[in-house]
Every structure is written in C-alpha cells, then in structure tokens.
Amino acid sequence: MKVLIAGDHFVRSDLLSEALRARVDRPLDTVELTLPWPLTPYGRVAEVDEASDAEDDLIAALPGAEVALTQMGPFTERVLAQADALKLIVCCRGGPVNVNVAAAAERGVAVAATPGRNAVAAAEHTVALLLGAMRSLPRLHSGVVAGQWRSDLYAYHECGRELGEATVGLVGYGAIGGRVARVLRAFGATVLVADPYTDPGPEVERVELSELLRRSDAISLHARLTPQTRHIIGRAEIDRMRPGAVLVNTARGGLLDYDAAADALAEGRLAAAGFDVFPEEPLPQDSRLRDLPNVVMTPHLAGATRQTAERAARLAGEAVADFLAGSSPVGLVEPPTAR
C-alpha cells in the first residue's frame, strides 16, 4: 500500500512514519515530503485555510497513494482531482481546516483528524499565561533585567493575586477547558463553566455566561470559533466583569473584541490579560497591546510541545490502522450535508 507522508518541521515525517509502521501490520510503500511550516508561515491556499503553499508538491507525490498523512498539506479540490487512488486523508490537527472535506467526500475519500493532540500543551500554557498575568511576571522580569530591584512592589495595591482562592470562569469546556479546570482545582481555585453543549460534571459549577462574568476573578476562553461565538466577549461582556479581573485567550482571536479589551486594560478595569491568539497574526506593529504593561503575550504557541507532535503522529497512525481494519477512526470527520 502506498502512503504519502507530508510532514513538516513540527509534526515531522519521521515521527509519522515511525508511528504508522508501529501500528499497521502490512507492507507500506511510503513517500515522504517535508513541507516548510513553521519556518515558512501558513496561509490560505485556494479554498482551504492554514496550509502550506504546496499544491504542486502534493500533486506530484500523490499518484497511486491510498493514504495521506499531513498537518499542513493543502488538500484542495485541485489536489484531490489528481489523487486517483486516495481513500483516506489523516490531518494531524484538531480539525481538517487545510482539507476540502466536501470535495474529498465527493470522491469517496474519508478524512480524519487528531482531536485532543495538543490539549495538554494548550492547557498548561493557559495556566502559565494566567499565572504570569496575575503576578505581573513580564513586568517583574523586565525590571530585574534592567537593573531594578523594586521592593516597593510589596505594597498592597501593587501585589498580584493567588489562584488558590480565586474564582476562574471558563468559557467553553472541551478537551482543553476540561484539563485547565483540573489544574485550577489542584491550585484550590473555584471553577465556573459556561458551555451549553457539555456537562462539566459535579466538580465544577455550570452557569450562564452573564453569571460567570459577574462572579469570576479571572476568565479563560476555550470555545470554538463559530458565527455564534465570534466576539462572545465584547465590550458589553467586559463591562460586566468584576473590576480588576484577568482575561486569558489561548483559543481563537475571533472570540474576543481586542479593542474593547485594550480599552479596559488601559483604564485598569481589567487588571491584566494573557493572550496567545489574536484577530490578526502576526500581531501588527501598531497594535495597542504592545504598549500595555499589564499584558502577557505569546505568538500562538500554546500547543507547541514535542509531546504534541509525537501525540499527533501516534493518533494519525491509530487512525490509519482503524480505517484499514474496517473501523471508524476516532477523529473521523463527517462531510458537510451540502457543498
């Protein structure tokens, strides 16, 4: 069986090849490509998003391939039209944004993803940003590097806050939100959840968004970005937050009105914030966030750990093994009902 392995510099081809051979007990004829991400940024390619501009490379490598594994390969309608033998695409991500799922379905090609691959990494990064924001770590670090030793920051009004007695609200409660909740509870925090689609269980309190905004000392966003959740936290929602609350977003930039957040941060209505995602990436040079001392920012790297790459490869290998055994892979993607 011919398999195309189109890895990159994060989910590497050798990781995918090793995981595949460990789980598939039949001879494999593998063809490997190394796509340029993240050394070259991804973008929109034809009708798919967040992909490497490598249509021609895929077209050249796909003839005869029955299975393709990739993270950033642009499986556009043009590419799929040249994939004469393809039966399965495994996208090593939480969702197949770089695959035209409808076009694949029309050609009888199944598509699977690797949900949960970065849940551990993103949850840990969320808590790191939350702690960094609550304790002003970037400001303190910069001060020490600059030769300052500010014992005056022991003043009551300058001190940060602890997670141990805080109430933290999670907007969205999927794999990442659930893991964040477990970590927060280990610190001793009270956790509120606003998510109409999941049952968070007895260890956290499910509330409406309005109540979460009113009661939370810190709020972290973990919802999927849909037309319904775009700017789920806007100016009105920020105005309802407790004075001095902390806001964290490691999910998607579109969930938050960043202009409203910048106003609240500048005015002190929000004490601090931690952001890993932004509505425009890279962050523009003229972004107001760059000038705010009470913001901790990272460049969309919450999921970037070696274990995430290894886990994605393992899940991809399992998906192929399940498919070849006649079972539905855990991450099998349902095609849209209509194009």
Side-chain angles (χ1 to χ4, degrees):
M1 182 179 72
K2 182 177 178 180
V3 179
L4 171 61
I5 298 176
D8 49 57
H9 296 279
F10 178 49
V11 182
R12 299 184 330 201
S13 293
D14 62 320
L15 296 176
L16 290 167
S17 180
E18 181 180 348
L20 186 65
R21 294 182 186 282
R23 288 160 180 81
V24 175
D25 60 354
R26 66 173 69 181
L28 299 175
D29 174 17
T30 58
V31 176
E32 295 188 7
L33 294 177
T34 297
L35 303 183
W37 191 82
L39 306 184
T40 300
Y42 62 55
R44 187 166 182 84
V45 178
E47 74 277 13
V48 301
D49 287 314
E50 298 184 12
S52 292
D53 188 5
E55 286 182 293
D56 291 341
D57 294 331
L58 291 186
I59 289 171
L62 273 168
E66 297 179 56
V67 173
L69 284 69
T70 191
Q71 179 182 219
M72 293 293 173
F75 278 85
T76 62
E77 190 157 20
R78 174 177 170 243
V79 169
L80 289 163
Q82 305 298 315
D84 57 342
L86 195 60
K87 297 176 182 177
L88 174 67
I89 301 167
V90 181
C91 177
C92 302
R93 311 169 77 163
V97 294
N98 55 306
V99 178
N100 186 330
V101 177
E106 284 186 356
R107 292 167 172 79
V109 179
V111 179
T114 54
R117 62 164 197 156
N118 67 350
V120 176
E124 291 180 359
H125 198 87
T126 296
V127 177
L129 286 180
L130 181 57
L131 289 168
M134 293 179 75
R135 298 298 298 272
S136 302
L137 294 187
R139 180 179 63 153
L140 301 180
H141 171 82
S142 297
V144 173
V145 170
Q148 302 172 1
W149 195 263
R150 295 188 57 187
S151 59
D152 63 299
L153 295 180
Y154 246 105
Y156 180 84
H157 71 282
E158 293 282 6
C159 289
R161 300 195 59 171
E162 299 173 359
L163 270 178
E165 296 183 2
T167 296
V168 182
L170 306 181
V171 181
Y173 199 72
I176 297 170
R179 186 170 287 273
V180 169
R182 291 196 291 275
V183 175
L184 293 175
R185 290 183 63 255
F187 273 89
T190 298
V191 180
L192 309 179
V193 172
D195 188 333
Y197 304 107
T198 61
D199 180 4
E203 296 180 338
V204 301
E205 184 180 352
R206 182 175 177 175
V207 297
E208 295 297 323
L209 179 60
S210 58
E211 183 177 350
L212 181 146
L213 297 172
R214 176 176 58 82
R215 291 175 55 188
S216 297
D217 300 302
I219 293 172
S220 185
L221 307 185
H222 299 285
R224 290 187 179 276
L225 181 59
T226 67
Q228 292 72 35
T229 61
R230 181 169 293 278
H231 283 190
I232 192 172
I233 303 298
R235 195 169 299 276
E237 288 74 24
I238 291 173
D239 288 344
R240 295 191 193 108
M241 293 181 189
R242 301 183 68 170
V246 173
L247 179 60
V248 172
N249 187 11
T250 57
R252 283 291 183 266
L255 296 172
L256 174 64
D257 181 341
Y258 278 78
D259 286 334
D263 288 341
L265 287 160
E267 296 163 7
R269 290 183 286 116
L270 283 176
F275 298 139
D276 183 58
V277 292
F278 305 89
E280 183 179 349
E281 296 178 358
L283 187 68
Q285 289 295 322
D286 61 353
S287 171
R288 297 166 60 200
L289 297 174
R290 294 178 180 272
D291 299 322
L292 295 172
N294 49 348
V295 181
V296 187
M297 295 186 288
T298 52
H300 204 150
L301 287 174
T305 64
R306 294 180 181 183
Q307 288 88 347
T308 291
E310 293 161 1
R311 193 177 298 114
R314 184 179 70 249
L315 292 170
E318 291 171 358
V320 174
D322 288 343
F323 182 82
L324 295 179
S327 302
S328 294
V330 171
L332 190 66
V333 178
E334 291 291 332
T337 54
R339 292 191 65 188

